[in-house]
Every structure is written in structure tokens, then in C-alpha cells.
Amino acid sequence: MDANSCTIGRFKAQSNKFSGIISKSLSAPKQKLVKQLIYGIQASKDVKLSNIGRALQEDIPLIKTEDRLSRNLSDEDFTKCINDEILRLGDDKITNAMVIAIDPGDIMKPYAKAMENLCGIWDGSEGEVAKGYHLCQVTAANLDHNKVVPLYCEAYSSDEQGYTTSTDKVIKIIDTVIGYTKTNGTWAIDRMGDNNEIINHFTKQKLKFVTRLKLNRWICMKNKNGGEIEVQTERMERHMQLIHKAQITKIEDGKESVINITFGITSVRLPGIEEAFRAIVVKGFGQHPMILLTNKEVNLNESKSIYQIVEIYLTRWKCDECYRYIKQSYNLEDLRVRSYYSIRNLTVMVHAIAYFTSIYIGMNLKLKIMVQKIFILSKRFFGIPSFFNYAMADGIFELLKKTITGIDVGFIGKLGNGSSEIQLDLFPD
């Protein structure tokens, strides 16, 4: 017997169990589809249906497998169902000390012509409008950066029926998430959060938040003499003292570098909003200062209390790792389907896999031995980092390369002595 047989069997069992949990409200054919996608995407590290079909290793022509996957993906949108189940599973993991980061992004499809509901998106690297789909992900993390909880992910188009504005979409997603997490955690958002509607929504829902302000935003603040002035955020540092200092260690490609920052805090008001906020000006990350706005209680005389707001925003950067992970590890931008439902369904499946690897098996003490074997197979030069999802994706891919059967065929049971549990397909297509 292969040394990895028991690990493969346990992984398949956990994959089946997780798939059943998140798809329990769907019809039987869709439950089978979710099970095959959760397994096939991980086994192939890809979202192309042909590669998923190869990983399933069915006893029928590959074209038949691909046709069935394509048909079942395109006839029903189960994005909301899967996201609701992931939120239900993850809500008890969210404590008041955690950061909940909302990160709008995109899936670029520059050469696509026939994909349904293609819309205009902004290509930041080229500085121009491109074609693709919007992507919004919500991820929670603790300040120690050793626990990352994927909560919500949705691909959508600004050309879809009923779409109004990106602000309305973000507010709707926030409401969906807080339906489960309540007021736990501190929300963190980038410069898209510099929006009176979003800020008002946070305060109305009694949510704690930290957002980054744009440098051309006008604010009201007190100058060094105590007088109130109206100034653009890029000039705030001229009217306050940045007396606090900190060192941040950055690890990139196995190498450490130290960043020295200075920061200060002041009370501010935003035009059009009655409530007063705190603004932290941070210098050291780049040519321009970083301005953070928050409604959290902060001790203005305590450097540690002020730095915690900076740390909350830096944790949002850690949550961005989850966003990059789902795009890079599973080739999310290489979608080869045309149906809008299929695009949304494959995106939420990759999100479910992120939860499966990081929390469902990654944080399960009972599965520690299996996870350690997966880490070994990932073959990392510098050990396993705190964000271990890349290593999990590589390790699972290497593990499942060694299996001669797909997810629907019997697998080795817990005893590991050759006994098998045959999964009968009660609902064949």
C-alpha cells in the first residue's frame, strides 16, 4: 500500500463531508456538482472544466464529464447559498478583536468576446479600462496574522440586471456579512471606503471601522494653535506633530527588511457627516503619507493605542493574501466558461476551497497529522509561513496526483488496512 493512501482517504472523506455541509440546501444533482468541483479544482489546481474533468477520473469519455459540469454550472446560480453556508460556518470564529477586511477587486478577461455580462473594469497596472468582472471578497484575520477566515466572495458585473452602483453593492455585502457576524470585529477597507455613504452606513450599523482616506479629501481639523481649519488630507502633517515611532519587519521572498514609520493622531470632521472621527497620519510606507480614519476609541496620549489602528489596517493587507491566493493558486482569471452563472459559481467554489483549506482542515486539531503530511508534500524551502494556504494548495495537488481514482470511487477508510467505503451514486445524470 502506498504510504499516502491513508492521507488520501482521509482527505477525500473530509472533502466529501465539507461539500455535503455547504450544499445541503441544493438539489441532489447540484450537491454532486459541488462535491466534484471542490475535489476537482484542488486536484488540478485549476478552474478549467477540462482539467477538473481529468481529475475526476470517471469511466466515461472526458467530453461527457465536461458537458455535464458545464450544463450543471450554467443552469442555476448558487452563489448566495454557498456564501450563506460559509458565513454560517465562520461566524463563531469572528471575535471582537479580529479585523474584517472587505476587498473589491476584479477578474480580468481582456481577450474574451462571448462571455456573458462582460463589463468595464479598471486595470490598475496599465492605468486603463479593461474587460472582465468585478470581484468582492470579505476576509477576517487576527492581529497576530496566524488565523485567516474567508467569509464571503462574489463575482459580479456592472451590466447585470438590477445593478446600481459599486457603493450600493459594497453596502449590500456588508449587510449580508453582519447578518451573521453582528457587530463583532473591526471593519477595514481601502480608499474605496472614503465614501460618505459607506462611512455613514458603518456608523448607522454601529460597526467599528478603519478606512484609508484619499489624499485629495477635504477634512476639518485643528491646527497646532488649536484653531479649526479646512485642509486636504495630503497637507495634514503640516498642521500636526508626528511624535510616535514604530518599526515594522517585512518578510518577502524569505528576506527580512525593517520599515521605520512615524505617526500622529488628531480629531477630524468630514464635510456632510456630523459625527467626529479620529485620523492617523502615517509616514514611512512611501512617498506620500497614509491617512487612516476610524471611529474606534483611541487614547490620544498612548503610542500603543494609536499604533493598534495602524496595525488593524496593516492586517487588511494580510487579508489581501487570501484574495491573491484564490486567483493564483487556482488560476481563477483563466476561467473558460461563457455563462454568467458559471462564472459566479466557479468563483464561489474557489472561495469555499479557501475556507476548507484554511479553517475546516487547516485549523482542525483532529486532522493535524493529515495537514502536516500535506505541508511536507508542498516542499517549501523556508518552512511554512503564517499564511499557509499556498502550501496547502501545492501539498493537496501533490497528494492527489498519487491517487488512481476520483472522488466518486471508494477510498481507504479510517483503519487504513485496505477497508474501503464505497460511495454509491444515487443520482446519476
Side-chain angles (χ1 to χ4, degrees), residues 256-320:
E256 289 189 2
S257 59
V258 176
I259 300 174
N260 293 298
I261 65 170
T262 57
F263 54 97
I265 189 170
T266 186
S267 296
V268 299
R269 290 187 180 275
L270 305 180
I273 301 178
E274 293 183 4
E275 187 171 342
F277 301 98
R278 306 291 191 188
I280 296 93
V281 179
V282 186
K283 292 193 70 177
F285 286 115
Q287 182 179 357
H288 300 289
M290 181 170 70
I291 317 298
L292 305 178
L293 185 80
T294 185
N295 62 348
K296 286 179 69 72
E297 290 294 328
V298 184
N299 186 335
L300 302 182
N301 300 313
E302 186 182 322
S303 181
K304 184 178 179 181
S305 178
I306 302 169
Y307 180 71
Q308 189 179 48
I309 305 300
V310 181
E311 198 171 17
I312 287 170
Y313 188 78
L314 297 182
T315 301
R316 190 198 73 81
W317 288 354
K318 189 66 180 179
C319 293
D320 281 354

Side-chain angles (χ1 to χ4, degrees), residues 365-394:
L365 294 177
K366 294 180 181 178
L367 302 174
K368 189 174 182 180
I369 294 176
M370 182 189 79
V371 172
Q372 288 300 322
K373 288 186 177 180
I374 290 173
F375 282 154
I376 291 170
L377 288 168
S378 71
K379 298 178 182 177
R380 284 299 191 266
F381 281 112
F382 301 105
I384 306 301
S386 59
F387 187 81
F388 54 78
N389 296 58
Y390 293 104
M392 286 286 284
D394 290 342

Side-chain angles (χ1 to χ4, degrees), residues 104-306:
D106 53 68
I107 298 174
M108 288 187 58
K109 303 300 295 182
Y111 305 110
K113 294 181 180 179
M115 295 178 78
E116 189 179 1
N117 283 342
L118 268 174
C119 66
I121 59 173
W122 181 253
D123 182 0
S125 58
E126 297 294 332
E128 60 185 19
V129 176
K131 292 188 297 184
Y133 299 91
H134 301 287
L135 189 68
C136 190
Q137 185 177 44
V138 180
T139 309
N142 59 4
L143 293 180
D144 293 329
H145 298 177
N146 58 11
K147 185 178 182 181
V148 178
V149 186
L151 292 173
Y152 186 96
C153 187
E154 180 183 359
Y156 61 95
S157 168
S158 54
D159 288 343
E160 70 180 4
Q161 188 175 3
Y163 180 87
T164 51
T165 65
S166 58
T167 298
D168 289 340
K169 189 69 177 181
V170 168
I171 289 174
K172 184 178 178 181
I173 291 172
I174 291 170
D175 286 341
T176 300
V177 174
I178 64 176
Y180 292 86
T181 62
K182 308 306 178 188
T183 58
N184 286 334
T186 301
W187 285 77
I189 186 170
D190 65 4
R191 278 168 285 206
M192 185 181 185
D194 184 5
N195 179 304
N196 281 12
E197 288 183 58
I198 293 176
I199 292 171
N200 275 327
H201 192 71
F202 279 135
T203 56
K204 179 182 176 182
Q205 297 294 336
K206 296 181 172 56
L207 301 174
K208 298 179 288 295
F209 73 90
V210 176
T211 186
R212 186 173 178 178
L213 295 180
K214 298 171 185 174
L215 293 178
N216 60 355
R217 150 76 85 161
W218 286 91
I219 54 99
C220 296
M221 64 175 289
K222 290 186 177 181
N223 60 20
K224 295 177 182 178
N225 299 321
E228 190 166 285
I229 59 171
E230 195 169 307
V231 65
Q232 280 188 307
T233 50
E234 65 177 347
R235 299 189 180 92
M236 284 181 65
E237 60 175 304
R238 304 178 185 179
H239 304 283
M240 56 189 295
Q241 295 179 333
L242 309 185
I243 59 175
H244 306 281
K245 297 180 181 180
Q247 280 190 341
I248 296 174
T249 303
K250 183 180 180 182
I251 302 176
E252 191 171 11
D253 298 328
K255 297 179 181 179
E256 289 189 2
S257 59
V258 176
I259 300 174
N260 293 298
I261 65 170
T262 57
F263 54 97
I265 189 170
T266 186
S267 296
V268 299
R269 290 187 180 275
L270 305 180
I273 301 178
E274 293 183 4
E275 187 171 342
F277 301 98
R278 306 291 191 188
I280 296 93
V281 179
V282 186
K283 292 193 70 177
F285 286 115
Q287 182 179 357
H288 300 289
M290 181 170 70
I291 317 298
L292 305 178
L293 185 80
T294 185
N295 62 348
K296 286 179 69 72
E297 290 294 328
V298 184
N299 186 335
L300 302 182
N301 300 313
E302 186 182 322
S303 181
K304 184 178 179 181
S305 178
I306 302 169

Side-chain angles (χ1 to χ4, degrees), residues 333-395:
E333 287 196 313
D334 200 20
L335 287 163
R336 302 287 180 89
V337 291
R338 294 193 297 180
S339 162
Y340 187 51
Y341 283 175
S342 298
I343 293 161
R344 285 170 56 81
N345 289 338
L346 282 172
T347 300
V348 81
M349 283 294 99
V350 175
H351 166 63
I353 289 169
Y355 185 89
F356 175 69
T357 56
S358 60
I359 301 298
Y360 191 81
I361 63 173
M363 293 291 180
N364 191 329
L365 294 177
K366 294 180 181 178
L367 302 174
K368 189 174 182 180
I369 294 176
M370 182 189 79
V371 172
Q372 288 300 322
K373 288 186 177 180
I374 290 173
F375 282 154
I376 291 170
L377 288 168
S378 71
K379 298 178 182 177
R380 284 299 191 266
F381 281 112
F382 301 105
I384 306 301
S386 59
F387 187 81
F388 54 78
N389 296 58
Y390 293 104
M392 286 286 284
D394 290 342

